[in-house]
Amino acid sequence: MAEDYVEAIAEAISENGICRAVDLVRHFDVTHATVSNTISRLQRDGLVVTEPYQPITLTAKGKRMATKARNRHEVVRTFLLRIGVSETTATEDSEGIEHHVSDETLRAMKRVMKDGIPASD
Amino acid sequence: MAEDYVEAIAEAISENGICRAVDLVRHFDVTHATVSNTISRLQRDGLVVTEPYQPITLTAKGKRMATKARNRHEVVRTFLLRIGVSETTATEDSEGIEHHVSDETLRAMKRVMKDGIPASD
DNA sequence: GAAACAACTTAGCCCGTGCTAAGTTTCGAG
DNA sequence: CTCGAAACTTAGCACGGGCTAAGTTGTTTC
Ligand SMILES: [Mn+2]
Ligand SMILES: [Mn+2]
Ligand SMILES: [Mn+2]
Ligand SMILES: [Mn+2]
């Protein structure tokens, strides 16, 4: 959850300069109330900073998480495409899978995309 | 959640003949209270049948889900091993990843394990 | 058969994530 | 400058999934 939020916030900032709650409402297709609640939790956890009616910014910690999450998401998605999954499915599945992929598995995916499948021993 | 539960119940039954709540308490490392609650929900959803102080059995629907989940879990785990991930990590990561893998992605994994990586176009 | 122990249930609590409904703030037109 | 619409907050609700504490049922063992 936190990962998807900071990723979406970073995306909005990089696209529009700022991130407003309404961007997240659209992105996640939830209500303003839900976004408001979630943002409070993210702020409590030191990932974002915001004030009532003001745009949302990422803390250093939030930026770090966003970068890692974005990278992981993209590697997983690309990997799925690489093993022959359709665009649509790769996009859908990577949205969930990304949150369970360890650093080791991520490295394995990158290795495979570069060097192909390891010897069948 | 449901998938992991029916999978664990099927496993207990195939190993001990029956599944008791205490098996799930041990398997998931949660309290009896939690298992009791969860089983109620599974029963409400038509996946299991049980009566107070009695063993837990799977409905047809529950068995179907268990079989699919078990297969998916195993394919994902084997696939991770196949791309060079360690036993420990493959076991850990597959526990989460399995729940986000569509049929299409599952087929792609099986294909890759059989025929290797698709042509780089 | 009574006592002790294991298995289980039930009540009551917390938090996360979602909602609706209602009110507040901000901002752009007119 | 005012008003309406868009953005946002707040309160109150529900459910999933976790807990502790306390009580109940079942089973073994003496
Ligand atoms: Mn993501
Ligand atoms: Mn995601
Ligand atoms: Mn599983
Ligand atoms: Mn699992």
Side-chain angles (χ1 to χ4, degrees):
Chain A
M1 203 56 316
E3 291 186 349
D4 284 333
Y5 265 75
V6 294
E7 203 183 332
I9 292 165
E11 190 187 333
I13 290 175
S14 109
E15 274 174 14
N16 320 325
I18 64 170
C19 175
R20 309 266 0 181
V22 69
D23 298 328
L24 303 172
V25 168
R26 277 189 285 261
H27 188 270
F28 294 110
D29 197 26
V30 293
T31 63
H32 257 114
T34 298
V35 166
S36 222
N37 262 321
T38 305
I39 293 300
S40 303
R41 234 176 303 119
L42 296 181
Q43 183 152 35
R44 180 201 64 191
D45 298 342
L47 294 167
V48 308
V49 175
T50 183
E51 274 177 274
Y53 300 99
Q54 288 313 118
I56 301 151
T57 60
L58 291 169
T59 62
K61 186 178 169 190
K63 278 180 204 159
R64 245 178 288 128
M65 181 185 285
T67 304
K68 268 204 85 170
R70 195 189 179 293
N71 179 253
R72 192 153 18 88
H73 196 148
E74 207 40 40
V75 170
V76 171
R77 195 174 148 280
T78 311
F79 180 79
L80 290 180
L81 291 172
R82 197 66 186 60
I83 65 172
V85 172
S86 70
E87 285 274 351
T88 312
T89 304
T91 299
E92 273 173 24
D93 287 12
S94 66
E95 191 58 62
I97 292 175
E98 57 165 342
H99 306 289
H100 304 277
V101 169
S102 62
D103 284 358
E104 186 190 338
T105 297
L106 201 70
R107 279 196 301 274
M109 287 179 174
K110 287 192 274 198
R111 200 185 313 129
V112 166
M113 289 196 279
K114 191 152 141 290
D115 305 335
I117 271 241
S120 344
D121 79 309
Chain B
M1 201 59 313
E3 291 187 348
D4 284 333
Y5 264 75
V6 294
E7 203 184 332
I9 292 165
E11 190 187 332
I13 290 175
S14 109
E15 275 175 12
N16 320 324
I18 64 171
C19 175
R20 310 264 2 180
V22 69
D23 298 327
L24 303 172
V25 168
R26 277 190 285 262
H27 188 270
F28 294 110
D29 198 26
V30 294
T31 64
H32 257 113
T34 298
V35 166
S36 222
N37 262 320
T38 305
I39 292 300
S40 303
R41 234 174 303 120
L42 295 182
Q43 183 152 34
R44 181 200 64 193
D45 298 342
L47 294 166
V48 308
V49 175
T50 184
E51 274 177 273
Y53 301 98
Q54 287 314 116
I56 301 151
T57 60
L58 291 169
T59 62
K61 186 177 168 192
K63 277 180 205 160
R64 244 177 289 129
M65 183 186 284
T67 304
K68 267 203 85 169
R70 195 188 178 294
N71 179 253
R72 191 151 20 87
H73 196 148
E74 207 39 42
V75 170
V76 171
R77 195 174 148 279
T78 311
F79 179 79
L80 290 180
L81 290 173
R82 197 65 188 62
I83 65 171
V85 172
S86 70
E87 286 274 350
T88 312
T89 303
T91 300
E92 275 173 21
D93 288 12
S94 66
E95 191 57 63
I97 292 175
E98 56 165 342
H99 306 290
H100 303 278
V101 169
S102 63
D103 284 358
E104 185 189 340
T105 297
L106 201 70
R107 280 195 301 273
M109 287 179 174
K110 286 193 274 199
R111 199 184 315 130
V112 166
M113 288 196 280
K114 191 153 143 288
D115 305 335
I117 273 239
S120 343
D121 81 309

mmCIF file with all atom_site columns, all heavy atoms in Angstrom, chain B residues 16 20-30 35, chain C residues 6-7:
data_model
loop_
_atom_site.group_PDB
_atom_site.id
_atom_site.type_symbol
_atom_site.label_atom_id
_atom_site.label_alt_id
_atom_site.label_comp_id
_atom_site.label_asym_id
_atom_site.label_entity_id
_atom_site.label_seq_id
_atom_site.pdbx_PDB_ins_code
_atom_site.Cartn_x
_atom_site.Cartn_y
_atom_site.Cartn_z
_atom_site.occupancy
_atom_site.B_iso_or_equiv
_atom_site.pdbx_formal_charge
_atom_site.auth_seq_id
_atom_site.auth_comp_id
_atom_site.auth_asym_id
_atom_site.auth_atom_id
_atom_site.pdbx_PDB_model_num
ATOM 1   N N     . ASN B 1 16 ? -2.436  -36.160 7.845  1.00 0.00 ? 16 ASN B N     1
ATOM 2   C CA    . ASN B 1 16 ? -2.902  -36.769 9.105  1.00 0.00 ? 16 ASN B CA    1
ATOM 3   C C     . ASN B 1 16 ? -4.284  -37.396 8.999  1.00 0.00 ? 16 ASN B C     1
ATOM 4   O O     . ASN B 1 16 ? -4.833  -37.845 9.999  1.00 0.00 ? 16 ASN B O     1
ATOM 5   C CB    . ASN B 1 16 ? -2.972  -35.711 10.207 1.00 0.00 ? 16 ASN B CB    1
ATOM 6   C CG    . ASN B 1 16 ? -1.817  -34.745 10.173 1.00 0.00 ? 16 ASN B CG    1
ATOM 7   O OD1   . ASN B 1 16 ? -0.694  -35.133 9.862  1.00 0.00 ? 16 ASN B OD1   1
ATOM 8   N ND2   . ASN B 1 16 ? -2.083  -33.498 10.477 1.00 0.00 ? 16 ASN B ND2   1
ATOM 9   N N     . ARG B 1 20 ? -7.297  -30.330 12.193 1.00 0.00 ? 20 ARG B N     1
ATOM 10  C CA    . ARG B 1 20 ? -7.826  -29.691 13.394 1.00 0.00 ? 20 ARG B CA    1
ATOM 11  C C     . ARG B 1 20 ? -7.364  -28.243 13.390 1.00 0.00 ? 20 ARG B C     1
ATOM 12  O O     . ARG B 1 20 ? -6.328  -27.911 12.811 1.00 0.00 ? 20 ARG B O     1
ATOM 13  C CB    . ARG B 1 20 ? -7.283  -30.366 14.674 1.00 0.00 ? 20 ARG B CB    1
ATOM 14  C CG    . ARG B 1 20 ? -7.408  -31.862 14.729 1.00 0.00 ? 20 ARG B CG    1
ATOM 15  C CD    . ARG B 1 20 ? -8.607  -32.432 15.459 1.00 0.00 ? 20 ARG B CD    1
ATOM 16  N NE    . ARG B 1 20 ? -9.561  -31.510 16.018 1.00 0.00 ? 20 ARG B NE    1
ATOM 17  C CZ    . ARG B 1 20 ? -10.655 -31.903 16.689 1.00 0.00 ? 20 ARG B CZ    1
ATOM 18  N NH1   . ARG B 1 20 ? -10.887 -33.205 16.893 1.00 0.00 ? 20 ARG B NH1   1
ATOM 19  N NH2   . ARG B 1 20 ? -11.505 -31.036 17.151 1.00 0.00 ? 20 ARG B NH2   1
ATOM 20  N N     . ALA B 1 21 ? -8.119  -27.402 14.081 1.00 0.00 ? 21 ALA B N     1
ATOM 21  C CA    . ALA B 1 21 ? -7.768  -25.981 14.150 1.00 0.00 ? 21 ALA B CA    1
ATOM 22  C C     . ALA B 1 21 ? -6.333  -25.791 14.622 1.00 0.00 ? 21 ALA B C     1
ATOM 23  O O     . ALA B 1 21 ? -5.611  -24.927 14.115 1.00 0.00 ? 21 ALA B O     1
ATOM 24  C CB    . ALA B 1 21 ? -8.730  -25.256 15.084 1.00 0.00 ? 21 ALA B CB    1
ATOM 25  N N     . VAL B 1 22 ? -5.925  -26.632 15.549 1.00 0.00 ? 22 VAL B N     1
ATOM 26  C CA    . VAL B 1 22 ? -4.581  -26.485 16.108 1.00 0.00 ? 22 VAL B CA    1
ATOM 27  C C     . VAL B 1 22 ? -3.496  -26.672 15.037 1.00 0.00 ? 22 VAL B C     1
ATOM 28  O O     . VAL B 1 22 ? -2.422  -26.072 15.132 1.00 0.00 ? 22 VAL B O     1
ATOM 29  C CB    . VAL B 1 22 ? -4.358  -27.446 17.296 1.00 0.00 ? 22 VAL B CB    1
ATOM 30  C CG1   . VAL B 1 22 ? -4.303  -28.890 16.824 1.00 0.00 ? 22 VAL B CG1   1
ATOM 31  C CG2   . VAL B 1 22 ? -3.105  -27.093 18.062 1.00 0.00 ? 22 VAL B CG2   1
ATOM 32  N N     . ASP B 1 23 ? -3.788  -27.445 14.002 1.00 0.00 ? 23 ASP B N     1
ATOM 33  C CA    . ASP B 1 23 ? -2.835  -27.588 12.900 1.00 0.00 ? 23 ASP B CA    1
ATOM 34  C C     . ASP B 1 23 ? -2.612  -26.241 12.215 1.00 0.00 ? 23 ASP B C     1
ATOM 35  O O     . ASP B 1 23 ? -1.487  -25.898 11.840 1.00 0.00 ? 23 ASP B O     1
ATOM 36  C CB    . ASP B 1 23 ? -3.363  -28.595 11.859 1.00 0.00 ? 23 ASP B CB    1
ATOM 37  C CG    . ASP B 1 23 ? -3.539  -29.988 12.447 1.00 0.00 ? 23 ASP B CG    1
ATOM 38  O OD1   . ASP B 1 23 ? -2.746  -30.358 13.345 1.00 0.00 ? 23 ASP B OD1   1
ATOM 39  O OD2   . ASP B 1 23 ? -4.474  -30.703 12.028 1.00 0.00 ? 23 ASP B OD2   1
ATOM 40  N N     . LEU B 1 24 ? -3.693  -25.507 12.061 1.00 0.00 ? 24 LEU B N     1
ATOM 41  C CA    . LEU B 1 24 ? -3.611  -24.205 11.391 1.00 0.00 ? 24 LEU B CA    1
ATOM 42  C C     . LEU B 1 24 ? -2.956  -23.179 12.305 1.00 0.00 ? 24 LEU B C     1
ATOM 43  O O     . LEU B 1 24 ? -2.211  -22.309 11.852 1.00 0.00 ? 24 LEU B O     1
ATOM 44  C CB    . LEU B 1 24 ? -5.008  -23.749 10.976 1.00 0.00 ? 24 LEU B CB    1
ATOM 45  C CG    . LEU B 1 24 ? -5.732  -24.758 10.072 1.00 0.00 ? 24 LEU B CG    1
ATOM 46  C CD1   . LEU B 1 24 ? -7.179  -24.339 9.856  1.00 0.00 ? 24 LEU B CD1   1
ATOM 47  C CD2   . LEU B 1 24 ? -5.012  -24.905 8.745  1.00 0.00 ? 24 LEU B CD2   1
ATOM 48  N N     . VAL B 1 25 ? -3.237  -23.299 13.607 1.00 0.00 ? 25 VAL B N     1
ATOM 49  C CA    . VAL B 1 25 ? -2.582  -22.431 14.590 1.00 0.00 ? 25 VAL B CA    1
ATOM 50  C C     . VAL B 1 25 ? -1.071  -22.560 14.443 1.00 0.00 ? 25 VAL B C     1
ATOM 51  O O     . VAL B 1 25 ? -0.356  -21.561 14.376 1.00 0.00 ? 25 VAL B O     1
ATOM 52  C CB    . VAL B 1 25 ? -3.004  -22.814 16.024 1.00 0.00 ? 25 VAL B CB    1
ATOM 53  C CG1   . VAL B 1 25 ? -2.123  -22.129 17.061 1.00 0.00 ? 25 VAL B CG1   1
ATOM 54  C CG2   . VAL B 1 25 ? -4.476  -22.471 16.253 1.00 0.00 ? 25 VAL B CG2   1
ATOM 55  N N     . ARG B 1 26 ? -0.613  -23.811 14.365 1.00 0.00 ? 26 ARG B N     1
ATOM 56  C CA    . ARG B 1 26 ? 0.830   -24.045 14.211 1.00 0.00 ? 26 ARG B CA    1
ATOM 57  C C     . ARG B 1 26 ? 1.305   -23.574 12.843 1.00 0.00 ? 26 ARG B C     1
ATOM 58  O O     . ARG B 1 26 ? 2.303   -22.862 12.732 1.00 0.00 ? 26 ARG B O     1
ATOM 59  C CB    . ARG B 1 26 ? 1.129   -25.538 14.386 1.00 0.00 ? 26 ARG B CB    1
ATOM 60  C CG    . ARG B 1 26 ? 1.250   -25.948 15.849 1.00 0.00 ? 26 ARG B CG    1
ATOM 61  C CD    . ARG B 1 26 ? 1.778   -27.361 15.994 1.00 0.00 ? 26 ARG B CD    1
ATOM 62  N NE    . ARG B 1 26 ? 0.759   -28.368 15.678 1.00 0.00 ? 26 ARG B NE    1
ATOM 63  C CZ    . ARG B 1 26 ? 0.028   -29.003 16.604 1.00 0.00 ? 26 ARG B CZ    1
ATOM 64  N NH1   . ARG B 1 26 ? 0.208   -28.737 17.890 1.00 0.00 ? 26 ARG B NH1   1
ATOM 65  N NH2   . ARG B 1 26 ? -0.859  -29.902 16.259 1.00 0.00 ? 26 ARG B NH2   1
ATOM 66  N N     . HIS B 1 27 ? 0.579   -23.949 11.808 1.00 0.00 ? 27 HIS B N     1
ATOM 67  C CA    . HIS B 1 27 ? 1.023   -23.643 10.440 1.00 0.00 ? 27 HIS B CA    1
ATOM 68  C C     . HIS B 1 27 ? 1.181   -22.154 10.207 1.00 0.00 ? 27 HIS B C     1
ATOM 69  O O     . HIS B 1 27 ? 2.156   -21.705 9.587  1.00 0.00 ? 27 HIS B O     1
ATOM 70  C CB    . HIS B 1 27 ? 0.031   -24.227 9.431  1.00 0.00 ? 27 HIS B CB    1
ATOM 71  C CG    . HIS B 1 27 ? 0.483   -24.126 8.008  1.00 0.00 ? 27 HIS B CG    1
ATOM 72  N ND1   . HIS B 1 27 ? 0.198   -23.044 7.215  1.00 0.00 ? 27 HIS B ND1   1
ATOM 73  C CD2   . HIS B 1 27 ? 1.223   -24.958 7.249  1.00 0.00 ? 27 HIS B CD2   1
ATOM 74  C CE1   . HIS B 1 27 ? 0.727   -23.233 6.029  1.00 0.00 ? 27 HIS B CE1   1
ATOM 75  N NE2   . HIS B 1 27 ? 1.344   -24.374 6.012  1.00 0.00 ? 27 HIS B NE2   1
ATOM 76  N N     . PHE B 1 28 ? 0.231   -21.358 10.682 1.00 0.00 ? 28 PHE B N     1
ATOM 77  C CA    . PHE B 1 28 ? 0.280   -19.921 10.400 1.00 0.00 ? 28 PHE B CA    1
ATOM 78  C C     . PHE B 1 28 ? 0.860   -19.108 11.560 1.00 0.00 ? 28 PHE B C     1
ATOM 79  O O     . PHE B 1 28 ? 1.001   -17.891 11.463 1.00 0.00 ? 28 PHE B O     1
ATOM 80  C CB    . PHE B 1 28 ? -1.113  -19.401 10.048 1.00 0.00 ? 28 PHE B CB    1
ATOM 81  C CG    . PHE B 1 28 ? -1.648  -19.967 8.763  1.00 0.00 ? 28 PHE B CG    1
ATOM 82  C CD1   . PHE B 1 28 ? -2.701  -20.860 8.761  1.00 0.00 ? 28 PHE B CD1   1
ATOM 83  C CD2   . PHE B 1 28 ? -1.084  -19.598 7.547  1.00 0.00 ? 28 PHE B CD2   1
ATOM 84  C CE1   . PHE B 1 28 ? -3.192  -21.378 7.564  1.00 0.00 ? 28 PHE B CE1   1
ATOM 85  C CE2   . PHE B 1 28 ? -1.570  -20.100 6.356  1.00 0.00 ? 28 PHE B CE2   1
ATOM 86  C CZ    . PHE B 1 28 ? -2.629  -21.004 6.364  1.00 0.00 ? 28 PHE B CZ    1
ATOM 87  N N     . ASP B 1 29 ? 1.128   -19.804 12.659 1.00 0.00 ? 29 ASP B N     1
ATOM 88  C CA    . ASP B 1 29 ? 1.652   -19.126 13.839 1.00 0.00 ? 29 ASP B CA    1
ATOM 89  C C     . ASP B 1 29 ? 0.762   -17.960 14.263 1.00 0.00 ? 29 ASP B C     1
ATOM 90  O O     . ASP B 1 29 ? 1.210   -16.835 14.444 1.00 0.00 ? 29 ASP B O     1
ATOM 91  C CB    . ASP B 1 29 ? 3.085   -18.642 13.577 1.00 0.00 ? 29 ASP B CB    1
ATOM 92  C CG    . ASP B 1 29 ? 3.813   -18.329 14.875 1.00 0.00 ? 29 ASP B CG    1
ATOM 93  O OD1   . ASP B 1 29 ? 3.452   -18.901 15.911 1.00 0.00 ? 29 ASP B OD1   1
ATOM 94  O OD2   . ASP B 1 29 ? 4.734   -17.480 14.846 1.00 0.00 ? 29 ASP B OD2   1
ATOM 95  N N     . VAL B 1 30 ? -0.518  -18.241 14.389 1.00 0.00 ? 30 VAL B N     1
ATOM 96  C CA    . VAL B 1 30 ? -1.486  -17.284 14.925 1.00 0.00 ? 30 VAL B CA    1
ATOM 97  C C     . VAL B 1 30 ? -2.201  -17.972 16.085 1.00 0.00 ? 30 VAL B C     1
ATOM 98  O O     . VAL B 1 30 ? -1.967  -19.159 16.340 1.00 0.00 ? 30 VAL B O     1
ATOM 99  C CB    . VAL B 1 30 ? -2.512  -16.837 13.864 1.00 0.00 ? 30 VAL B CB    1
ATOM 100 C CG1   . VAL B 1 30 ? -1.835  -16.029 12.757 1.00 0.00 ? 30 VAL B CG1   1
ATOM 101 C CG2   . VAL B 1 30 ? -3.261  -18.021 13.290 1.00 0.00 ? 30 VAL B CG2   1
ATOM 102 N N     . VAL B 1 35 ? -7.713  -18.306 14.243 1.00 0.00 ? 35 VAL B N     1
ATOM 103 C CA    . VAL B 1 35 ? -8.098  -19.424 13.380 1.00 0.00 ? 35 VAL B CA    1
ATOM 104 C C     . VAL B 1 35 ? -9.608  -19.630 13.433 1.00 0.00 ? 35 VAL B C     1
ATOM 105 O O     . VAL B 1 35 ? -10.260 -19.797 12.400 1.00 0.00 ? 35 VAL B O     1
ATOM 106 C CB    . VAL B 1 35 ? -7.372  -20.719 13.796 1.00 0.00 ? 35 VAL B CB    1
ATOM 107 C CG1   . VAL B 1 35 ? -8.002  -21.938 13.146 1.00 0.00 ? 35 VAL B CG1   1
ATOM 108 C CG2   . VAL B 1 35 ? -5.897  -20.638 13.428 1.00 0.00 ? 35 VAL B CG2   1
ATOM 109 P P     . DA  C 2 6  ? -1.014  -29.616 27.924 1.00 0.00 ? 6  DA  C P     1
ATOM 110 O OP1   . DA  C 2 6  ? 0.359   -30.011 27.588 1.00 0.00 ? 6  DA  C OP1   1
ATOM 111 O OP2   . DA  C 2 6  ? -1.317  -28.262 28.445 1.00 0.00 ? 6  DA  C OP2   1
ATOM 112 O "O5'" . DA  C 2 6  ? -1.927  -29.874 26.646 1.00 0.00 ? 6  DA  C "O5'" 1
ATOM 113 C "C5'" . DA  C 2 6  ? -2.274  -31.207 26.309 1.00 0.00 ? 6  DA  C "C5'" 1
ATOM 114 C "C4'" . DA  C 2 6  ? -3.401  -31.160 25.307 1.00 0.00 ? 6  DA  C "C4'" 1
ATOM 115 O "O4'" . DA  C 2 6  ? -4.639  -30.855 25.987 1.00 0.00 ? 6  DA  C "O4'" 1
ATOM 116 C "C3'" . DA  C 2 6  ? -3.213  -30.076 24.246 1.00 0.00 ? 6  DA  C "C3'" 1
ATOM 117 O "O3'" . DA  C 2 6  ? -3.549  -30.662 23.006 1.00 0.00 ? 6  DA  C "O3'" 1
ATOM 118 C "C2'" . DA  C 2 6  ? -4.171  -28.964 24.683 1.00 0.00 ? 6  DA  C "C2'" 1
ATOM 119 C "C1'" . DA  C 2 6  ? -5.268  -29.749 25.386 1.00 0.00 ? 6  DA  C "C1'" 1
ATOM 120 N N9    . DA  C 2 6  ? -5.944  -29.028 26.452 1.00 0.00 ? 6  DA  C N9    1
ATOM 121 C C8    . DA  C 2 6  ? -5.390  -28.249 27.438 1.00 0.00 ? 6  DA  C C8    1
ATOM 122 N N7    . DA  C 2 6  ? -6.273  -27.730 28.269 1.00 0.00 ? 6  DA  C N7    1
ATOM 123 C C5    . DA  C 2 6  ? -7.482  -28.203 27.799 1.00 0.00 ? 6  DA  C C5    1
ATOM 124 C C6    . DA  C 2 6  ? -8.809  -28.016 28.240 1.00 0.00 ? 6  DA  C C6    1
ATOM 125 N N6    . DA  C 2 6  ? -9.132  -27.276 29.298 1.00 0.00 ? 6  DA  C N6    1
ATOM 126 N N1    . DA  C 2 6  ? -9.784  -28.618 27.544 1.00 0.00 ? 6  DA  C N1    1
ATOM 127 C C2    . DA  C 2 6  ? -9.452  -29.369 26.475 1.00 0.00 ? 6  DA  C C2    1
ATOM 128 N N3    . DA  C 2 6  ? -8.251  -29.624 25.971 1.00 0.00 ? 6  DA  C N3    1
ATOM 129 C C4    . DA  C 2 6  ? -7.302  -29.003 26.684 1.00 0.00 ? 6  DA  C C4    1
ATOM 130 P P     . DA  C 2 7  ? -3.578  -29.762 21.684 1.00 0.00 ? 7  DA  C P     1
ATOM 131 O OP1   . DA  C 2 7  ? -3.259  -30.684 20.576 1.00 0.00 ? 7  DA  C OP1   1
ATOM 132 O OP2   . DA  C 2 7  ? -2.814  -28.511 21.917 1.00 0.00 ? 7  DA  C OP2   1
ATOM 133 O "O5'" . DA  C 2 7  ? -5.117  -29.374 21.583 1.00 0.00 ? 7  DA  C "O5'" 1
ATOM 134 C "C5'" . DA  C 2 7  ? -6.047  -30.405 21.315 1.00 0.00 ? 7  DA  C "C5'" 1
ATOM 135 C "C4'" . DA  C 2 7  ? -7.419  -29.787 21.137 1.00 0.00 ? 7  DA  C "C4'" 1
ATOM 136 O "O4'" . DA  C 2 7  ? -7.803  -29.169 22.375 1.00 0.00 ? 7  DA  C "O4'" 1
ATOM 137 C "C3'" . DA  C 2 7  ? -7.448  -28.680 20.084 1.00 0.00 ? 7  DA  C "C3'" 1
ATOM 138 O "O3'" . DA  C 2 7  ? -8.485  -29.008 19.176 1.00 0.00 ? 7  DA  C "O3'" 1
ATOM 139 C "C2'" . DA  C 2 7  ? -7.719  -27.406 20.871 1.00 0.00 ? 7  DA  C "C2'" 1
ATOM 140 C "C1'" . DA  C 2 7  ? -8.419  -27.931 22.104 1.00 0.00 ? 7  DA  C "C1'" 1
ATOM 141 N N9    . DA  C 2 7  ? -8.247  -27.129 23.314 1.00 0.00 ? 7  DA  C N9    1
ATOM 142 C C8    . DA  C 2 7  ? -7.076  -26.656 23.825 1.00 0.00 ? 7  DA  C C8    1
ATOM 143 N N7    . DA  C 2 7  ? -7.215  -25.969 24.945 1.00 0.00 ? 7  DA  C N7    1
ATOM 144 C C5    . DA  C 2 7  ? -8.575  -26.009 25.184 1.00 0.00 ? 7  DA  C C5    1
ATOM 145 C C6    . DA  C 2 7  ? -9.373  -25.459 26.215 1.00 0.00 ? 7  DA  C C6    1
ATOM 146 N N6    . DA  C 2 7  ? -8.875  -24.761 27.245 1.00 0.00 ? 7  DA  C N6    1
ATOM 147 N N1    . DA  C 2 7  ? -10.703 -25.675 26.162 1.00 0.00 ? 7  DA  C N1    1
ATOM 148 C C2    . DA  C 2 7  ? -11.194 -26.393 25.134 1.00 0.00 ? 7  DA  C C2    1
ATOM 149 N N3    . DA  C 2 7  ? -10.548 -26.954 24.105 1.00 0.00 ? 7  DA  C N3    1
ATOM 150 C C4    . DA  C 2 7  ? -9.228  -26.721 24.188 1.00 0.00 ? 7  DA  C C4    1
#
